Amino acid sequence: QEQLVESGGGLVQAGDSVRLSCVVSGLTFTRYAMGWFRQTPERDREFVGGISRNGVNVQYVDSVKGRFTISRDNAGNTVYLQMNSLKPQDTAVYYCAAILRSLPGTVADTASWYHYWGQGTQVTVSS
């Protein structure tokens, strides 16, 4: 069965760093581009960033550029979201998602296009 399991969330202070992990099973991981999204009661699900199948092309929403880094370990079937200089407005439930991609260098930013989703992990940033 296809599974994406996020971990690493929690309560942190503004300015801190945290790394989220998403372990994927039941999929041929290298056939999927991966994305990170976040959601709050006040905001629709937002594309945070994504990484292509080969890990070369990485995209981010403007609000996190320079602070967040997405990487993937294809051997370990894991995608990471490194979050630095966290701000209270980064507080959200963070989800990882997988999307089939035929081209190795493409990234998708539209949530409805993604095929598989994790359960989410809460990140709370206190001021």
Side-chain angles (χ1 to χ4, degrees), residues 14-127:
D16 283 355
S17 297
V18 68
R19 188 179 73 163
L20 304 183
S21 299
C22 175
V23 179
V24 178
S25 61
L27 300 174
T28 302
F29 186 60
T30 55
R31 294 180 180 177
Y32 292 82
M34 300 296 298
W36 285 97
F37 295 79
R38 62 187 180 186
Q39 189 167 2
T40 70
E42 296 79 25
R43 301 196 305 266
D44 293 333
R45 189 171 297 177
E46 176 189 30
F47 175 74
V48 176
I51 187 167
S52 62
R53 289 168 55 192
N54 57 15
V56 173
N57 187 16
V58 187
Q59 298 178 5
Y60 305 94
V61 67
D62 285 345
S63 61
V64 309
K65 287 180 179 177
R67 299 189 298 121
F68 291 10
T69 302
I70 297 171
S71 60
R72 68 188 292 162
D73 174 11
N74 283 346
N77 286 9
T78 304
V79 63
Y80 302 96
L81 178 62
Q82 177 69 45
M83 302 188 289
N84 299 328
S85 301
L86 283 164
K87 305 174 181 179
Q89 53 263 49
D90 295 318
T91 295
V93 178
Y94 284 75
Y95 298 89
C96 67
I99 181 169
L100 275 171
R101 296 276 85 176
S102 59
L103 300 176
T106 59
V107 177
D109 62 4
T110 303
S112 63
W113 294 354
Y114 279 76
H115 299 91
Y116 301 103
W117 292 83
Q119 81 288 352
T121 185
Q122 176 73 43
V123 176
T124 301
V125 185
S126 63
S127 60

